[in-house]
Amino acid sequence: MSSNVNRQFRLKSRPVGKIKTSDFDLVEEPVPTPGPGEAVIRNLYLSLDPTNRIWMSDMDQYMPPVEIGAVMRGGGIGKVVASNSDAYKVGDTVSGLLGWQDYYVAGPNDEIPVGVLPPELPVGLPTMLGACGLTGLTAYFGLLELGQPKAGDTVVVSAAAGAVGSVVGQIAKLNGCRAVGIAGGPDKCKWIVEELGFDAAVDYKAPDWREQLEAVTPDGIDVNFENVGGEIMEAVMARMNLFSRMPLCGMISGYNTDEPMRGDFSPILMRRINVRGFIVTDFLEKYAEATMELATWVATGKIKSQETIVEGLENAPTAVNKLFEGENLGKLVVKIADE
Ligand code: NDP
């Protein structure tokens, strides 16, 4: 569980196109000791997210970009191994922005405080980064608060076999909706229908994907949970119904380019679509309640959680590209150390 050094990925240069290992310096620091009011956390799991690519860039974004030379920002779960803080005791399992490193020092100056997880978790730690973590919460709030799904509605979600999308479709089903997922390749499409219970899937890598979309949305689309942007978003919007809703969660197809992320606005006017961009942290006050509900759904089998786990912190810079190449199923996590 312990390691003699604290390996840290420090951002060396802002990526151009795909993220490269050479965009980081891998440095080794001594394992930190806690100062007054601080606690040292042994990082166990690192969450890899499409937004990591945004944070590495200096594009217009919702948090400050990671500064050159700083430890790469990243969500994670870890265990408190030393503490001079009343907020954390040794052995606590915690979750927060622990960074791409072996150890994190939590303290009163944290901009976003590291949270202590309950001692008896009904699900495994990787799931606490996925279906019961921020990506699950993103699906939950984006769909239920902004998508306002009603029984019988057709809900379409893109990146449907990923961390957010896989949960969106399953929550849509719990609400009596018709869930249609858009994903890359026949295996992912089969998985979301046969394993997760989506009503239909569209393989956007197939030449006839537009015809597939039309065939599986005969009554149009009432909610588009948008994760991808670009031509997929435009094709979905062209099929949206009058007064339909579109939670705009992400536009991953544009993150690796320097081009502005564009879209056709005309359906918003003609069909009076309610488009609403959001960041999961907008719903911070409601996290505890929603996490409980997600954990209950997962623990009782109402929602299936799935993680793709890559071993070794050293592999984070290459593993993160799986998100852009579609090589993950469900939540992408790096295992840093044994629990
Ligand atoms: P996923 O687990 O869904 O992984 C990303 C998936 O996106 C890949 O598996 C791939 O699946 C698909 N993808 C990648 N590139 C493209 C492309 N060019 N066109 C179409 N599909 C592509 O990641 P997350 O669930 O973590 O994130 C999904 C989206 O939600 C992202 O846009 C992310 O930024 C956003 N997000 C937003 C949050 C918020 O607070 N607003 C919070 C968390 C995530 P495939 O094989 O199907 O191509």
Side-chain angles (χ1 to χ4, degrees):
M1 160 115 181
S2 63
S3 147
N4 296 333
V5 291
N6 183 20
R7 294 169 300 165
Q8 300 182 316
F9 277 107
R10 294 175 173 271
L11 188 63
K12 185 161 73 181
S13 51
R14 305 212 178 275
V16 177
K18 199 174 140 174
I19 298 161
K20 296 181 296 302
T21 305
S22 59
D23 292 321
F24 300 91
D25 281 320
L26 179 56
V27 299
E28 294 192 351
E29 299 264 315
V31 175
T33 49
E38 291 180 342
V40 172
I41 292 156
R42 175 58 165 128
N43 294 348
L44 301 176
Y45 292 100
L46 170 69
S47 172
L48 292 180
D49 298 276
T51 200
N52 294 154
R53 179 64 181 82
I54 296 177
W55 294 341
M56 289 172 201
S57 79
D58 55 7
M59 70 184 280
D60 179 28
Q61 53 193 284
Y62 59 94
M63 278 175 97
V66 175
E67 282 175 31
I68 299 295
V71 176
M72 180 56 205
R73 184 188 295 139
I77 286 188
K79 275 232 187 298
V80 177
V81 290
S83 178
N84 290 327
S85 159
D86 293 338
Y88 307 104
K89 54 180 194 308
V90 171
D92 280 350
T93 305
V94 297
S95 153
L97 288 175
L98 307 181
W100 289 25
Q101 57 188 343
D102 285 303
Y103 292 89
Y104 178 77
V105 180
N109 297 330
D110 281 340
E111 252 175 68
I112 302 176
V114 169
V116 179
L117 296 175
E120 302 289 331
L121 291 168
V123 300
L125 292 185
T127 307
M128 291 306 295
L129 290 176
C132 300
L134 281 186
T135 53
L137 290 169
T138 303
Y140 184 98
F141 294 120
L143 181 64
L144 297 178
E145 300 260 345
L146 307 179
Q148 298 280 317
K150 295 185 298 299
D153 277 356
T154 296
V155 174
V156 170
V157 59
S158 45
V164 174
S166 59
V167 177
V168 169
Q170 294 184 84
I171 299 179
K173 287 305 294 173
L174 290 180
N175 283 270
C177 301
R178 174 175 168 75
V180 174
I182 305 177
D187 291 346
K188 286 189 175 186
C189 287
K190 190 165 179 250
W191 180 69
I192 61 173
V193 172
E194 293 185 3
E195 293 294 322
L196 303 187
F198 282 55
D199 294 283
V202 173
D203 175 3
Y204 78 87
K205 289 187 175 162
D208 67 342
W209 67 272
R210 289 170 192 276
E211 289 79 13
Q212 288 184 30
L213 179 66
E214 199 179 324
V216 297
T217 55
D219 301 324
I221 294 164
D222 303 295
V223 180
N224 173 32
F225 193 107
E226 186 55 53
N227 281 327
V228 163
E231 58 177 351
I232 296 175
M233 178 177 79
E234 289 192 345
V236 172
M237 287 176 77
R239 297 195 54 74
M240 290 183 75
N241 291 331
L242 202 59
F243 299 115
S244 52
R245 284 83 62 205
M246 179 167 135
L248 179 50
C249 175
M251 301 178 84
I252 192 172
S253 68
Y255 298 172
N256 272 336
T257 72
D258 291 329
E259 298 296 312
M261 294 180 230
R262 298 184 189 282
D264 178 4
F265 270 34
S266 57
I268 302 176
L269 172 64
M270 303 309 171
R271 248 70 56 55
R272 282 82 110 194
I273 304 171
N274 189 357
V275 179
R276 170 67 200 277
F278 76 102
I279 297 296
V280 63
T281 46
D282 299 343
F283 299 93
L284 196 64
E285 324 80 66
K286 297 184 180 174
Y287 275 15
E289 205 181 316
T291 305
M292 282 294 290
E293 189 154 29
L294 286 162
T296 305
W297 285 339
V298 173
T300 56
K302 285 191 173 167
I303 278 190
K304 288 188 183 161
S305 68
Q306 173 76 39
E307 295 92 29
T308 298
I309 300 180
V310 174
E311 295 275 339
L313 175 66
E314 63 282 5
N315 295 316
T318 44
V320 72
N321 283 310
K322 288 182 182 292
L323 297 165
F324 299 93
E325 283 151 16
E327 291 173 1
N328 63 306
L329 199 61
K331 179 77 197 101
L332 182 62
V333 172
V334 169
K335 181 177 172 187
I336 301 177
D338 287 335
E339 291 178 30

